[in-house]
Amino acid sequence: MSDSIEKKGIIELLSAMIMMGTVGLFVVESGQSAYNVVFYRCTLGAIFLLAYCLYSGKLKNTGINTKKLIIIIFSAIFLVFNWVMLFASFKTASISTSTVIYHAQPFFFILIWALAFKEAVSLNKILWMGLAFIGVTLVADINTNEFSLSSDYILGVSLALLAAIFWAASATLVKLLTGVSTYLITLIQLFVGIIVLFPFSDLSGITDVTVKQWSYLLVLGAVHTCLTYILMYSSYQKLSAPVIAVMTFIYPAVAIFVDFYFYNESMSVIQIAGVFMIMFSSYAVNQNLSFLSLKKINASA
C-alpha cells in the first residue's frame, strides 16, 4: 500500500474520530430527550446515507438474503438502544465519564462472543479485562459515602455500561454477516431505528424545537451518522489493524476535551489513571500483547 493512500486513510479516520468525540456536545445542546435525539439521528442519517449510496452506487451487489436481513434487524435494535442509553448517560453522568466507560465495549464483545459460541477466553485476555474494569471503577469515581442506587450519577454510569453491552451485542451479530455491504447494513439499521423508536419518541413538541436545536440535530444526522461512517469505512480499507486500534483512542480523548472546554468538567488524577487503564488494556487486547511481558504472543495461544 502506498504512503499517499495510507495518509489519506489516516486523515479520514482522524476526521471520523474527532467527529465521534463531539457527539456528546450536539446531543446535550439539542435539548431533546435521548429517544428523540436517536429518532432524529436515525431519520436524518438515513436520508443522507441513502442519498450517498444511490449517488455512489453502494447498493449494488448487496449480498443480502432473508437470514442476513433478520440478523441486521436484531443488530439494529441493539444498536439504536445502545445510542439511547449512551445519550441518556451524557445528561446524568458527564460526556467524558460516559464516553470513557463506554469505550470498554471491546471487552463485552469478547465475553458475548465467547458465551454465544462457547469459545474459551484466554487467561491473558481475562487479565487485561480485569485491568480495564478496574479502570472503569476509577473513572466512575463513585463516592461510597454518598452512594445511592437512585442517584443520577450512578444511573448515568450504569447506562454507559449497558450501552457498551448493547453495542457489543450488535457487533456480535454484525460479525456473523459476510458478503454484505457495510453501507447497506448501516442503512437498514437506521431505518429499523426509525420504526422501533417512533413509539417511544415524543414528537408532539416538534414545532417548539428551535432553529439552533434543529441545527444540532441536523449535524448529528448528516455529519455524526452519515459522513462519519463513510469516512470510517473508507479508512478501514486503507489502514492496518494496529493503526486503526491506536487511532480509535482519539474518540474518547476528544470527548474529554469537549467536556472540559464547553462544560468545565474535568477529571481527577484517579479518573485519569482509570482512563489510561481502559485505553491501554483495549490496545493490548487488540495487539495481543502478553499481560506480563508486553510482548506480542501467538494469536492461537
Side-chain angles (χ1 to χ4, degrees), residues 117-169:
F117 299 99
K118 295 182 174 58
E119 289 187 6
V121 180
S122 68
L123 176 61
N124 190 64
K125 287 184 178 179
I126 292 174
L127 291 173
W128 284 122
M129 283 183 213
L131 183 64
F133 288 117
I134 290 173
V136 168
T137 61
L138 294 180
V139 171
D141 194 27
I142 298 171
N143 187 338
T144 54
N145 294 325
E146 301 176 3
F147 180 81
S148 171
L149 290 175
S150 61
S151 70
D152 285 345
Y153 185 76
I154 298 298
L155 176 61
V157 169
S158 301
L159 285 170
L161 280 171
L162 283 172
I165 293 171
F166 270 56
W167 176 91

Side-chain angles (χ1 to χ4, degrees), residues 1 29 63 105 110 138 140 142 244 246 284 298:
M1 185 180 295
E29 293 301 317
Q105 54 193 218
I110 292 171
L138 294 180
I142 298 171
I244 293 172
V246 172
N298 193 313

Side-chain angles (χ1 to χ4, degrees), residues 26-201:
F26 286 82
V27 169
V28 172
E29 293 301 317
S30 72
Q32 301 295 303
S33 69
Y35 283 111
N36 278 20
V37 171
V38 180
F39 176 80
Y40 290 130
R41 180 185 192 181
C42 288
T43 303
L44 295 169
I47 292 171
F48 285 105
L49 188 57
L50 177 61
Y52 170 77
C53 289
L54 292 174
Y55 173 78
S56 59
K58 296 292 185 183
L59 299 182
K60 297 177 181 178
N61 303 318
T62 57
I64 195 75
N65 58 37
T66 303
K67 181 181 178 180
K68 291 178 180 179
L69 179 60
I70 293 173
I71 292 175
I72 295 173
I73 290 172
F74 277 101
S75 75
I77 294 172
F78 283 116
L79 180 66
V80 295
F81 281 106
N82 135 78
W83 284 341
V84 168
M85 288 181 283
L86 179 62
F87 292 173
S89 73
F90 288 156
K91 300 179 181 181
T92 50
S94 70
I95 294 172
S96 51
T97 299
S98 298
T99 304
V100 172
I101 291 175
Y102 181 67
H103 212 72
Q105 54 193 218
F107 300 104
F108 289 115
F109 173 80
I110 292 171
L111 292 173
I112 291 175
W113 185 269
L115 289 171
F117 299 99
K118 295 182 174 58
E119 289 187 6
V121 180
S122 68
L123 176 61
N124 190 64
K125 287 184 178 179
I126 292 174
L127 291 173
W128 284 122
M129 283 183 213
L131 183 64
F133 288 117
I134 290 173
V136 168
T137 61
L138 294 180
V139 171
D141 194 27
I142 298 171
N143 187 338
T144 54
N145 294 325
E146 301 176 3
F147 180 81
S148 171
L149 290 175
S150 61
S151 70
D152 285 345
Y153 185 76
I154 298 298
L155 176 61
V157 169
S158 301
L159 285 170
L161 280 171
L162 283 172
I165 293 171
F166 270 56
W167 176 91
S170 176
T172 301
L173 290 172
V174 171
K175 189 172 173 60
L176 299 176
L177 300 169
T178 56
V180 183
S181 165
T182 51
Y183 295 95
L184 179 63
I185 292 173
T186 304
L187 194 58
I188 294 174
Q189 287 175 329
L190 293 176
F191 278 113
V192 171
I194 296 171
I195 298 169
V196 171
L197 292 176
F198 181 76
F200 299 97
S201 304

